[in-house]
Amino acid sequence: MSALAALRRRILTPDVSETRLDVRGFHVKDDASRDRLETVGSTFLAGFAVAAEVSRVSDATEPLERIPSNFKGFAYEGAAMAFAIRDGLPLGGRRHVAQFIAGAGERHSYMAYVGVGWAMARLPRMCWSALYGDDPLLRWLVLDGYGFHQAYFKTAKYVHQAYRHRDFPWPADDTSGYAPRVIDQGVGRATWFVAGTDPKRVVRFFEGFAEDRRPDLYAGAGLAATYAGGATEDELKWFRDAAAPYRADLAQGAAFAAGARHLAGLTSPHNELATRVFCGMSVAEASRVTDEARVGLTNVGVLPSYEVWRQRIASAFVESGPPRRHLPSGQKLSARTRSPQEENEIK
């Protein structure tokens, strides 16, 4: 490692203590769940450190591939964050994330976009224009990553006080007002960590949010419970039943997690368990649902194609939640798709 690479790694990489549950003030359900969540955090930072120090993006592949498969996706997420920060900093160079996703990060593209969102939360707004978000569909995951970061590190504000952005300046070309909803999906995902993988605490947290925000929050929690794990079968079934009118949203998030795991070839037993509980199918089958829902996507009404994609996926699990209609390309969304509050925000 060169002196410059070592310095860059030391300056950029956060301290691993930041991922400890006691430091964060998160709930500890038991030793096993604490160890899992802290391993997720430390693996994320290990991936970050790799990308912070390498001279060439391709040099990150070998050390990232050495990470155990159950946690490898988090290492790729952390690497994407570091590459995005390097893209955004003056004299840091450009196109690190683009090269990463075009190469070894391609199978981890979902996680890579989320990692860019972590970088967004750490960079000054003036640097956001340098962040990679070329895929018109997956770029919304950047805001999911941003929401996760804010809820993870600013828990009192974003979780306990249920802070919500009324508008958001990214992506700059979007006029739909949809960004706060994707941030909420990230907040919901982070709440799984804040609650220490305890579904009962997650539900109590969500009860403190406005009702119209809960579908997105439950979708995020479903993704985290499926991708990161940490709950038993009985706990997952309790969560599914407690979600009540949001069960289709929970299933949609789980299907996203299944798609990310399947694409990366990193499916583990806890992924299969959660997908069976929330979606009633295997990881491969739920991943196929997400792929089929992408066919012919286009913006519908004021909502971007990303939300249409999510609604199509949720409609596959309509038996588990409130009635939903499939949204084929070109069909106009009804006024009930958005709450009155969201309508006002868009106006």
Side-chain angles (χ1 to χ4, degrees), residues 110-178:
Y110 288 64
M111 304 302 286
Y113 274 96
V114 169
V116 173
W118 278 69
M120 172 182 281
R122 294 291 177 105
L123 290 168
R125 187 175 297 184
M126 70 181 75
C127 300
W128 289 4
S129 61
L131 295 177
Y132 181 82
D134 288 13
D135 188 308
L137 188 66
L138 296 185
R139 69 174 180 171
W140 290 101
L141 290 170
V142 172
L143 294 177
D144 185 302
Y146 178 89
F148 184 101
H149 177 283
Q150 298 301 80
Y152 191 91
F153 290 102
K154 300 179 181 180
T155 307
K157 179 177 180 179
Y158 280 82
V159 179
H160 299 296
Q161 299 169 22
Y163 175 79
R164 186 186 194 185
H165 291 271
R166 294 302 173 187
D167 51 43
F168 203 75
W170 193 96
D173 62 346
D174 179 68
T175 59
S176 69
Y178 179 66

Side-chain angles (χ1 to χ4, degrees), residues 34-293:
R34 180 198 60 208
D35 291 347
R36 173 178 288 274
L37 295 184
E38 291 185 348
T39 301
V40 166
S42 62
T43 305
F44 178 98
L45 291 183
F48 183 103
V50 166
E53 74 180 30
V54 295
S55 298
R56 298 177 302 177
V57 171
S58 59
D59 291 341
T61 304
E62 194 274 333
L64 289 174
E65 284 301 304
R66 290 201 303 264
I67 302 293
S69 61
N70 199 24
F71 297 98
K72 188 178 297 183
F74 300 107
Y76 272 86
E77 182 183 357
M81 177 188 177
F83 282 136
I85 286 178
R86 291 175 65 175
D87 283 346
L89 291 176
L91 306 178
R94 292 292 184 269
R95 307 296 292 175
H96 291 90
V97 175
Q99 293 176 42
F100 186 52
I101 292 179
E106 182 180 10
R107 293 188 301 119
H108 306 272
S109 55
Y110 288 64
M111 304 302 286
Y113 274 96
V114 169
V116 173
W118 278 69
M120 172 182 281
R122 294 291 177 105
L123 290 168
R125 187 175 297 184
M126 70 181 75
C127 300
W128 289 4
S129 61
L131 295 177
Y132 181 82
D134 288 13
D135 188 308
L137 188 66
L138 296 185
R139 69 174 180 171
W140 290 101
L141 290 170
V142 172
L143 294 177
D144 185 302
Y146 178 89
F148 184 101
H149 177 283
Q150 298 301 80
Y152 191 91
F153 290 102
K154 300 179 181 180
T155 307
K157 179 177 180 179
Y158 280 82
V159 179
H160 299 296
Q161 299 169 22
Y163 175 79
R164 186 186 194 185
H165 291 271
R166 294 302 173 187
D167 51 43
F168 203 75
W170 193 96
D173 62 346
D174 179 68
T175 59
S176 69
Y178 179 66
R181 289 193 54 189
V182 193
I183 293 173
D184 269 356
Q185 292 153 37
V187 171
R189 190 162 57 87
T191 303
W192 183 253
F193 287 69
V194 175
T197 78
D198 183 343
K200 292 183 179 180
R201 284 182 175 264
V202 173
V203 170
R204 286 202 295 270
F205 278 131
F206 289 170
E207 287 173 349
F209 288 77
E211 191 281 331
D212 65 296
R213 300 178 63 182
R214 294 177 195 169
D216 293 319
L217 295 167
Y218 272 99
L223 197 162
T226 304
Y227 194 98
T232 66
E233 182 173 2
D234 286 344
E235 288 175 323
L236 293 171
K237 288 179 177 178
W238 183 93
F239 194 28
R240 177 198 63 197
D241 295 342
Y246 314 108
R247 283 173 62 176
D249 302 292
L250 196 70
Q252 178 269 304
F256 260 24
R261 284 285 189 176
H262 188 70
L263 175 65
L266 300 177
T267 301
S268 66
H270 80 259
N271 306 140
E272 290 286 3
L273 172 62
T275 307
R276 286 284 182 190
V277 170
F278 293 147
C279 302
M281 58 182 66
S282 69
V283 164
E285 290 167 333
S287 178
R288 192 175 306 118
V289 169
T290 68
D291 291 342
E292 291 174 353

Side-chain angles (χ1 to χ4, degrees), residues 21-22 25-31 33-34 38 194-196 201:
L21 268 62
D22 60 341
F26 295 171
H27 174 64
V28 176
K29 183 180 69 176
D30 52 41
D31 290 345
S33 60
R34 180 198 60 208
E38 291 185 348
V194 175
R201 284 182 175 264

